[in-house]
Amino acid sequence: MSQREVLELLRENARYDVADIARMTGLDADEVEATIEELESAGVIRGYRAVVDWDKLERERVRAEVELNVTLDRETSYGDIASRLAKFPEVKALRLVSGDYDFDMEVEGDSIREVSQFISEKVAPVPEITQTVTHYVMTSYKESGIEFGDGDDDDRLSISP
Amino acid sequence: MTIEPARRVQAVPPSGIRKFFEIAEERDDVISLGVGEPDFSTPWAARDAAIASLERGRTSYTANRGMRELREAIAAYSRERFDLAYDPDEEIIVTAGASEAVDLAFRAFVNPGDTVAIAQPAYISYEPGVLFAGGEVLPVVTREEDEFRLTVDALETAGAADADVLVMCYPNNPTGAVMTRAELEPIAEFAVSHDLTVFTDEIYAELTYEGEHTSIATFDGMRERTVVFNGFSKAYAMTGLRLGYALAPATAIGAMNRIHQYGMLSAPTTAQYAALEALTACDDDVEEMVAQYDRRRRFVRSRFEEIGMPCFEARGAFYLFPEVPPNWAGTADEFAESLLREQGVAVVPGDVFGEGGEGHLRVSYATGLEELREALRRIEAFVGEL
């Protein structure tokens, strides 16, 4: 149970320090530290990342959601195709999904040209891939559970009974 | 000619929190731990039900006592959740916030000159409510050494045996204290043996972090003498929708309804639809909010202990009630004012909640964790410079 609680808190904010998590859960700091180490070494926690609203920066950052259809043969599995695609640093997320297409791939680059080139030159030529449909992200409203926006919508009275 | 307010209105002083509100409004970097309302939004399903009711044009009065469907849902919820069995036709009234229910009860059951014992520190509206009804307030002071729980000793010391009405609120605003079944039992016996009418404000019942909430109305001999107040503001984050209710025997609800039907007619219809949905479809939202409050509660209390401001372990509502630091020479009111002016952190001094609150601060943790962290850092800096 404490594992789950620690995970929930880290998912909420990976920058909570051990002392804060200990305060919130009522566990000892040592227990929290041990739990986090355990989760890391068991591969449950795979990394810590910032959730970035790129629109707030001057620098352009282009993201695309790409739908991929594939055909399998006797020698090739979904896993084989996935491990090939996942190795590209441009690919930020890759998931096998049910429905009209097989893989849902998230690609990031510095320009639309860079992303398009990557898809046409690196992804489309993979022999098992039969179709790619690229959707460029125009605006992000929510990422990793965090809503983007000005965030200052607390209109409660500052003091109330 | 000027219009002269009635004497009983003039006799009630302005609220003690007003000064702090005004200072807080002067600056824009204030982190407020002075709010008595959730920072969450009303669960979406409840908002959606309110919108749908408007789309369908359901904007007329409802029955004075509230929509029957809602009263039935309240009856089912109260029975299942708190073992409180009340008839939706005769023993439940839906009001514009629990505050209206409290006010109705004072007006319905307090005769001019009657004595109303109030367990203090207490929510700031009880005392004016008694005075507006022409009653006299008898403070029953609860102490930190008892973890701000009401005891028979406190009742006897205050002379509450001769009172007509006893008002209590657990989980408590402002202390966060809760009372267990074992702790409530002697209070119930006291009420029965001295023939007290009991008003029990249980608006924070869902926000009980350890153990189960017990209502004093569930003890032998209590149902017939108790009015239970509850509402949707706290557990369902619906403060602005103004919806509460009271549970009591038929004659009592009938008396409250007599006032309500002339003054309010019926509680807001849109809010009643939201409340119905809240009761029937928002358990998960409540559970999530309670889990968040609980984490913040542990966090804030632990920080106060670290800062050197003793703080008993409040187990309910969303308030902590720490003491001002031992090296602070002035009152809690002065501490709160200096803290607000120097560090931009708003808290409410315990004095405004009546006797027993002196030397304490009400700190609400109905604020995001990041802000709580920063507020406590500022409080630590302030205390460190004393």
Side-chain angles (χ1 to χ4, degrees):
Chain A
M1 193 57 215
S2 61
Q3 275 195 339
R4 173 118 204 183
E5 217 175 346
V6 169
L7 276 176
E8 270 175 27
L9 286 167
L10 287 174
R11 291 251 297 158
E12 187 178 286
N13 185 347
R15 294 195 67 183
Y16 286 148
D17 59 29
V18 168
D20 286 350
I21 295 174
R23 288 187 190 101
M24 284 184 262
T25 54
L27 297 169
D28 289 341
D30 290 347
E31 284 176 287
V32 173
E33 201 148 18
T35 305
I36 294 174
E37 271 171 30
E38 211 174 289
L39 289 163
E40 284 171 351
S41 61
V44 177
I45 294 176
R46 309 295 290 218
Y48 301 91
R49 292 284 164 84
V51 179
V52 178
D53 185 351
W54 292 102
D55 293 348
K56 294 249 193 261
L57 289 180
E58 293 286 317
R59 184 176 160 231
E60 195 185 13
R61 191 77 187 153
V62 173
R63 290 194 321 161
E65 301 282 339
V66 186
E67 302 171 5
L68 299 178
N69 274 305
V70 300
T71 48
L72 302 180
D73 56 38
R74 277 168 193 276
E75 276 81 39
T76 321
S77 67
Y78 284 125
D80 294 330
I81 302 166
S83 64
R84 183 166 171 183
L85 292 171
K87 289 200 169 55
F88 293 115
E90 290 88 344
V91 175
K92 300 301 175 194
L94 181 67
R95 306 173 187 100
L96 181 67
V97 295
S98 62
D100 290 342
Y101 52 96
D102 301 306
F103 286 102
D104 169 31
M105 184 169 79
E106 238 179 79
V107 178
E108 249 181 53
D110 285 338
S111 64
I112 290 189
R113 186 186 159 82
E114 189 184 303
V115 171
S116 312
Q117 246 173 6
F118 167 71
I119 292 161
S120 60
E121 291 172 12
K122 299 283 170 54
V123 179
V126 173
E128 293 82 4
I129 293 178
T130 56
Q131 192 187 22
T132 67
V133 179
T134 306
H135 307 273
Y136 286 100
V137 174
M138 293 159 73
T139 305
S140 259
Y141 298 103
K142 190 173 182 180
E143 294 284 344
S144 303
I146 295 176
E147 272 189 70
F148 294 171
D150 61 13
D152 187 22
D153 55 358
D154 187 351
D155 54 0
R156 296 177 299 164
L157 293 174
S158 51
I159 312 272
S160 63
Chain B
M1 181 201 148
T2 54
I3 301 173
E4 191 68 13
R7 279 187 296 281
R8 65 177 184 287
V9 175
Q10 286 177 312
V12 175
S15 162
I17 63 176
R18 195 167 142 187
K19 171 177 78 176
F20 290 89
F21 176 71
E22 280 163 8
I23 304 170
E25 289 301 286
E26 284 166 18
R27 43 191 297 175
D28 54 9
D29 65 336
V30 169
I31 300 181
S32 182
L33 309 184
V35 280
E37 63 175 314
D39 59 323
F40 299 104
S41 299
T42 307
W44 175 248
R47 280 186 275 162
D48 201 31
I51 294 165
S53 77
L54 289 171
E55 280 174 345
R56 286 180 195 130
R58 292 176 173 162
T59 51
S60 35
Y61 297 129
T62 67
N64 293 134
R65 290 162 187 238
M67 281 160 32
R68 185 156 204 291
E69 223 180 334
L70 176 59
R71 278 181 279 131
E72 279 171 359
I74 291 168
Y77 164 83
S78 305
R79 191 176 53 242
E80 281 157 30
R81 195 79 186 79
F82 305 120
D83 197 23
L84 292 165
Y86 288 85
D87 174 6
D89 286 330
E90 305 262 319
E91 298 180 320
I92 295 175
I93 184 168
V94 177
T95 53
S99 300
E100 192 215 337
V102 173
D103 185 50
L104 291 177
F106 284 136
R107 291 199 278 158
F109 306 112
V110 176
N111 291 303
D114 277 1
T115 303
V116 179
I118 302 178
Q120 293 190 351
Y123 173 53
I124 60 170
S125 296
Y126 301 145
E127 189 162 333
V130 174
L131 300 177
F132 289 140
E136 282 169 23
V137 171
L138 176 73
V140 178
V141 183
T142 64
R143 299 281 176 200
E144 181 155 18
E145 51 266 34
D146 299 319
E147 301 203 331
F148 292 108
R149 291 163 179 142
L150 183 58
T151 61
V152 169
D153 199 29
L155 286 165
E156 279 169 351
T157 307
D162 298 326
D164 300 289
V165 177
L166 168 66
V167 182
M168 53 193 285
C169 169
Y170 293 96
N172 183 264
N173 174 8
T175 65
V178 299
M179 288 186 68
T180 62
R181 175 157 280 278
E183 288 155 358
L184 280 170
E185 192 167 12
I187 306 300
E189 283 166 8
F190 183 92
V192 172
S193 64
H194 297 287
D195 196 23
L196 296 179
T197 296
V198 174
F199 293 172
T200 174
D201 183 349
E202 301 181 10
I203 185 102
Y204 293 99
E206 285 285 352
L207 308 185
T208 303
Y209 305 107
E210 293 164 36
E212 285 291 306
H213 172 75
T214 303
S215 174
I216 194 165
T218 57
F219 289 87
D220 284 349
M222 287 305 295
R223 191 183 189 282
E224 54 267 41
R225 63 180 65 251
T226 304
V227 183
V228 182
F229 308 113
N230 207 326
F232 298 87
S233 292
K234 313 299 179 177
Y236 299 97
M238 281 173 49
T239 47
L241 287 163
R242 308 306 307 126
L243 210 72
Y245 55 91
L247 313 171
T251 49
I253 292 296
M256 289 167 70
N257 191 40
R258 204 168 306 164
I259 304 169
H260 174 79
Q261 71 186 351
Y262 292 117
M264 190 60 65
L265 283 81
S266 63
T269 304
T270 310
Q272 292 192 52
Y273 280 102
L276 180 58
E277 188 71 10
L279 278 184
T280 47
C282 298
D283 287 358
D284 292 349
D285 301 82
V286 175
E287 203 177 307
E288 177 53 33
M289 287 190 272
V290 172
Q292 291 272 7
Y293 289 136
D294 191 18
R295 282 179 199 143
R296 298 171 185 180
R297 172 183 73 107
R298 293 163 191 264
F299 173 82
V300 175
R301 176 168 179 265
S302 144
R303 287 288 284 128
F304 272 121
E305 292 288 331
E306 236 169 48
I307 291 168
M309 294 172 67
C311 183
F312 88 99
E313 193 173 357
R315 294 189 169 88
F318 39 58
Y319 308 106
L320 285 163
F321 208 56
E323 292 172 40
V324 295
N327 53 342
W328 176 259
T331 63
D333 189 87
E334 288 159 352
F335 181 91
E337 190 172 336
S338 299
L339 176 67
L340 179 54
R341 288 193 192 281
E342 287 177 34
Q343 289 287 346
V345 176
V347 297
V348 184
D351 321 46
V352 306
F353 303 101
E355 285 186 48
E358 308 86 356
H360 289 81
L361 305 167
R362 188 191 74 173
V363 174
S364 158
Y365 46 87
T367 293
L369 236 136
E370 289 303 305
E371 283 193 299
L372 288 172
R373 261 155 63 126
E374 173 59 16
L376 284 149
R377 193 195 61 72
R378 293 189 197 178
I379 294 172
E380 189 166 35
F382 181 74
V383 171
E385 280 169 20
L386 297 180

